[in-house]
Amino acid sequence: MRAIRRFTVRTVLPAPLEPLGELAMNLRWSWHAETRDLFESIDPDTWASVGRDPVRLLGTVPNDKLGALADDRRFLARLRVAAEDLHEYLTGPRWYQTLSEPGTAPDSPPAAIAYFSPEYGITAALPQYSGGLGILAGDHLKAASDLGVPIVGVGLMYRHGYFRQSLSRDGWQQERYPLLDPNELPLTLLRSADGAPARVVIALPTGELHARIWKAQVGRVPLLLLDSDIEENEPAEREVTDRLYGGTSEHRLHQEMLLGIGGVRALRAFCEITGHPAPEVFHTNEGHAGFLGIERIREFTQADGLDFDAALEAARAGTVFTTHTPVPAGIDRFGRDQIQRHFGGDLACPGVPVDRVLALGAETYPDGDPGVFNMAVMGLRLAQRANGVSELHGRVSRGMFDGLWPGFDITEVPITSITNGVHAPTWVDADVLDLAGREAGVELAEDPSAWAAIDRLSAGSVWELRRTLRAKLVTEARLRLRASWKQRGAGDAELGWIENVLDPDVLTIGFARRVPSYKRLTLMLRDPARLRKMLLHPERPVQIVIAGKAHPADEGGKRLIQELVRFADREDVRHRIVFLPDYDIAMAQHLYPGCDVWLNNPLRPLEACGTSGMKAALNGCLNLSILDGWWDEWYDGSNGWAIPTADGITDVDRRDDLEAGALYDLIENSVAARFYDRGPEGLPTRWLEMVRHTLATLGPKVLADRMVKDYVDVLYAPAALSGRAITGRAARELAEWKAHVRRSWAGVRVDHVESGGIGDAPEVGNTLNLRVLVSLGALAPADVEVQVVHGRVDNADRIVDGTVGPLKAGRRDEHDRRLYEGSLALDRTGPFGYTVRVMPTHPLLAGPAELGLIAAPPESEGFAEGMPLR
């Protein structure tokens, strides 16, 4: 008979072992080797069998074993040291505390930052992630903890997580969704002072959606996860948090409303219950959480008495939006009728009319769809600051969303970039850390400057390390491959060949990521005969380890996996190429260190960042990648190889053929040739030079510590200053000023531009004097800035790499036009041009493009003609 209710009974630890409970419930163990070693010492076999999960370990170890440990003085001494180390980590000052006392002065850093993400990849023991977005969010929280940055994470608690992947006999991806019991996970229920579970409630057309709040402790960072699977909900509402990225459009909308609206309410409850400082900055990690801005507008209208426009300004001021999507198809879009149904009628909040909500997500740019509500567009409109996740992705994002700022050059679209990073203590193998500590005397994972010490490591030591890591991967791959084949229906008698799969002395290439079509899992199969020749080369063989999941609804992605698996199943090559199903954090922590080369071959420029290559690089693995994402930014010619791209080729098959051919050429003639080029001592000297160069130069750049510091300096601190300044009366005045400027902008014109001082043959060193007459209509000179934009021009007279400078306001003429004057020093030869423009200005704007308004001379009047210099 089936149980009508399921629950988990947790272990009661003997008093001397109670610190084990705190160590197990704080996810710092997932990146702190000493704590993991302590848990492993309790029972190594059980530790391995429970997937290296301390909570499950403590629930599995027999009571008599725990009783014996409670009397073991040596173990208790180790436990005391670990508990004291955690206490010091949680309470001692760190980098952020050196900046100044957070939140105590107008220019101090924020007292707290709320970080919203639909998924978090922190450890395999908390499977609430699907891919790079979640892993990035997990690394963000971990680095924030290490730096002492007061972040509070907000997400959803998915009862089935993301799916577990296996293969059918013919290589087709199969999905299963194991039920996760929060009581078996490193989570605690948020409770009010009277012991009752804290709840949040949001309104849906079908009734109320209730959620309780689980808390994971990620070092110093609390992570709040909302769970709708509770008795107060009807069956449909209970399933809102059933699984990650599943269900209908309506299901996704309910998830995103719970994440954004419910997430803000969960934060308020958490701060009230615990006394945690209220967040001053709200960071929306991708558009899924965008509704948090709607909830904050509601708060400002009800608590502060602001109207919608003023509340919008107050909410925007402290909000940061990060886009991870390089293609419009990757953005969540809902029907306007869905939004109308959920935010209008009886569900409309006082002061938050549904037409204003709809306007926030409207695709008002050319080729936009008037029938949809775009979550990324709303995210940009609700945030005063926005960024992409690599320099190239920043440029792509500015081009993708430039329609929201008509009249501005793409370079001036207000989306900056902060390149992602990875959390070294999580991803750098212990053997790498041990070698650096033993031979160079440095702590790689904690000190960015320590990576330069890699040059002190001997070539022999590095080569021995690389073989050790490769051998560990070979062992892990054979175990996983055997388990996969048994799931596919094979018996032990059929699997003797697995003992010879992969070789710890063969050049090993890794490829592991999600499997959308643009990542091109099967590019390596464009010429199967040539790939087979590389795999079986008698002197320079190559072996490839591959992993990745296709979204359950992506039939095309599943076909790519099946095509790859069928090739890898061939008897002649199956010892040289393997596909390992169920890619997750635990697998990745073997893959990155064990590979010699990390392959990445997306369609450029569709990879936003691609942090898997960063993790590989931190372990001495060389990247072989299309110049996309972070690799476009930090490839230097000596830290790996760049796969040439067939830019401009519109025929997809032709482009794939060309780029696959370039990939084969690189592997055969450069990568394998260098790996097997051995010197007199049997060492690949030039290869090892590349490995050490990679570690020394990329190490400090790709760290999540660097990334989080960039967020603090570039986005969080300025957002906190804006949030403090734009409140109450200031928010009203800013909203009124913006409305006045928008109403009056049609009256702003550049009427006349004249120049002098350079003659008919301008030369370097001449000074160009400018006089500009501008009609301001109902605006005052303080409302605008008149600028001159100048620089090199192309053949179409477009200004390239322009420089912007202000012109000085002067008198009015008899036609009520304002005179503006300035001068330009001609400091370069060649084609040169200038133009002038008028833009709104206000002390509380984050930048001149914030309103998306600009007035410039009509190009037909020739005001911006290029002029040759000699």
Side-chain angles (χ1 to χ4, degrees), residues 266-283:
L267 265 174
R268 303 308 185 202
F270 171 74
C271 293
E272 181 179 349
I273 291 169
T274 65
H276 192 284
E280 295 186 87
V281 175
F282 287 73
H283 184 172

Side-chain angles (χ1 to χ4, degrees), residues 216-479:
Q217 194 64 38
V218 187
R220 298 166 70 113
V221 172
L223 169 59
L224 309 179
L225 300 174
L226 281 73
D227 175 12
S228 71
D229 188 13
I230 56 178
E231 295 175 357
E232 291 91 330
N233 286 325
E234 295 298 320
E237 283 70 45
R238 293 187 72 153
E239 293 180 358
V240 166
T241 56
D242 59 349
R243 62 186 61 175
L244 183 59
Y245 301 144
T248 64
S249 173
E250 192 87 348
H251 184 265
R252 288 288 294 276
L253 177 58
H254 293 169
Q255 285 189 334
E256 297 185 9
M257 289 178 65
L258 181 59
L259 175 61
I261 298 170
V264 173
R265 295 176 186 178
L267 265 174
R268 303 308 185 202
F270 171 74
C271 293
E272 181 179 349
I273 291 169
T274 65
H276 192 284
E280 295 186 87
V281 175
F282 287 73
H283 184 172
T284 308
N285 191 40
E286 197 46 89
H288 310 284
F291 290 121
L292 75 87
I294 304 298
E295 173 63 9
R296 294 189 67 221
I297 289 172
R298 184 197 65 80
E299 289 183 330
F300 282 116
T301 60
Q302 295 188 2
D304 296 1
L306 302 180
D307 64 15
F308 183 91
D309 290 316
L312 171 61
E313 298 304 329
R316 289 184 73 251
T319 301
V320 171
F321 174 67
T322 297
T323 174
H324 296 259
T325 307
V327 288
I331 296 170
D332 277 348
R333 301 158 89 210
F334 299 105
R336 286 174 62 87
D337 59 327
Q338 288 179 281
I339 303 301
Q340 174 77 46
R341 206 166 55 247
H342 286 77
F343 291 89
D346 293 339
L347 297 179
C349 295
V352 188
V354 67
D355 62 312
R356 301 301 303 273
V357 175
L358 287 167
L360 289 170
E363 295 184 350
T364 54
Y365 40 81
D367 300 323
D369 185 340
V372 303
F373 183 91
N374 186 307
M375 293 296 289
V377 167
M378 179 178 69
L380 290 166
R381 287 182 171 139
L382 282 173
Q384 200 178 42
R385 290 165 179 83
N387 70 289
V389 292
S390 68
E391 287 187 0
L392 178 59
H393 180 238
R395 296 197 296 272
V396 169
S397 298
R398 288 188 286 274
M400 193 161 72
F401 295 110
D402 69 329
L404 297 175
W405 290 271
F408 286 85
D409 289 343
I410 288 178
T411 57
E412 294 180 305
V413 170
I415 302 174
T416 186
S417 64
I418 292 179
T419 303
N420 283 343
V422 298
H423 186 245
T426 296
W427 300 110
V428 180
D429 191 88
D431 287 341
V432 178
L433 300 177
D434 289 346
L435 178 62
R438 188 171 65 250
E439 288 204 6
V442 292
E443 295 282 347
L444 285 184
E446 298 180 5
D447 182 3
S449 64
W451 292 88
I454 290 295
D455 284 337
R456 299 205 293 267
L457 302 179
S458 69
S461 296
V462 174
W463 185 236
E464 182 181 354
L465 169 68
R466 293 299 316 146
R467 190 187 188 282
T468 297
L469 296 174
R470 207 179 303 117
K472 287 166 63 175
L473 173 58
V474 169
T475 299
E476 180 72 11
R478 289 173 181 172
L479 289 172

Side-chain angles (χ1 to χ4, degrees), residues 57-125:
L57 174 75
L58 296 181
T60 305
V61 173
N63 286 335
D64 58 348
K65 175 69 171 178
L66 293 175
L69 287 174
D71 293 327
D72 185 335
R73 288 186 297 175
R74 182 173 297 178
F75 181 82
L76 293 178
R78 291 181 63 194
L79 175 58
R80 183 171 58 254
V81 170
E84 290 173 353
D85 181 76
L86 177 61
H87 176 75
E88 190 281 329
Y89 175 85
L90 296 177
T91 59
R94 306 191 77 81
W95 169 79
Y96 194 78
Q97 285 67 45
T98 68
L99 302 181
S100 68
E101 185 65 27
T104 59
D107 60 349
S108 63
I113 299 130
Y115 183 92
F116 285 66
S117 178
E119 54 174 301
Y120 289 91
I122 297 165
T123 167

Side-chain angles (χ1 to χ4, degrees), residues 9-260:
V9 180
R10 289 192 171 181
T11 300
V12 177
L13 293 170
L17 300 183
E18 286 180 355
L20 280 175
E22 182 181 4
L23 290 170
M25 296 301 290
N26 191 309
L27 292 172
R28 187 206 183 203
W29 62 258
S30 68
W31 71 91
H32 191 251
E34 290 82 354
T35 304
R36 292 197 304 275
D37 291 344
L38 177 70
F39 281 112
E40 183 176 16
S41 71
I42 294 174
D43 188 327
D45 291 337
T46 302
W47 174 250
S49 70
V50 299
R52 296 171 175 81
D53 178 348
V55 173
R56 292 178 62 198
L57 174 75
L58 296 181
T60 305
V61 173
N63 286 335
D64 58 348
K65 175 69 171 178
L66 293 175
L69 287 174
D71 293 327
D72 185 335
R73 288 186 297 175
R74 182 173 297 178
F75 181 82
L76 293 178
R78 291 181 63 194
L79 175 58
R80 183 171 58 254
V81 170
E84 290 173 353
D85 181 76
L86 177 61
H87 176 75
E88 190 281 329
Y89 175 85
L90 296 177
T91 59
R94 306 191 77 81
W95 169 79
Y96 194 78
Q97 285 67 45
T98 68
L99 302 181
S100 68
E101 185 65 27
T104 59
D107 60 349
S108 63
I113 299 130
Y115 183 92
F116 285 66
S117 178
E119 54 174 301
Y120 289 91
I122 297 165
T123 167
L126 187 63
Q128 300 290 303
Y129 60 94
S130 72
L133 178 68
I135 301 298
L136 182 278
D139 281 7
H140 197 105
L141 297 194
K142 293 174 186 177
S145 174
D146 291 343
L147 295 169
V149 179
I151 279 180
V152 181
V154 181
L156 300 180
M157 169 59 209
Y158 303 99
R159 276 306 177 97
H160 297 282
Y162 200 49
F163 71 91
R164 303 296 301 272
Q165 180 195 46
S166 59
L167 300 173
S168 68
R169 187 74 189 211
D170 67 350
W172 189 256
Q173 173 179 291
Q174 297 178 319
E175 302 95 23
R176 57 189 175 88
Y177 292 88
L179 179 66
L180 301 174
D181 181 352
N183 292 291
E184 294 178 335
L185 300 174
L187 300 172
T188 57
L189 200 58
L190 183 66
R191 297 180 182 274
S192 58
D194 62 4
R199 293 282 195 270
V200 298
V201 182
I202 66 172
L204 298 178
T206 55
E208 290 184 333
L209 171 62
H210 298 253
R212 58 184 168 183
I213 306 160
W214 295 96
K215 180 176 75 72
Q217 194 64 38
V218 187
R220 298 166 70 113
V221 172
L223 169 59
L224 309 179
L225 300 174
L226 281 73
D227 175 12
S228 71
D229 188 13
I230 56 178
E231 295 175 357
E232 291 91 330
N233 286 325
E234 295 298 320
E237 283 70 45
R238 293 187 72 153
E239 293 180 358
V240 166
T241 56
D242 59 349
R243 62 186 61 175
L244 183 59
Y245 301 144
T248 64
S249 173
E250 192 87 348
H251 184 265
R252 288 288 294 276
L253 177 58
H254 293 169
Q255 285 189 334
E256 297 185 9
M257 289 178 65
L258 181 59
L259 175 61

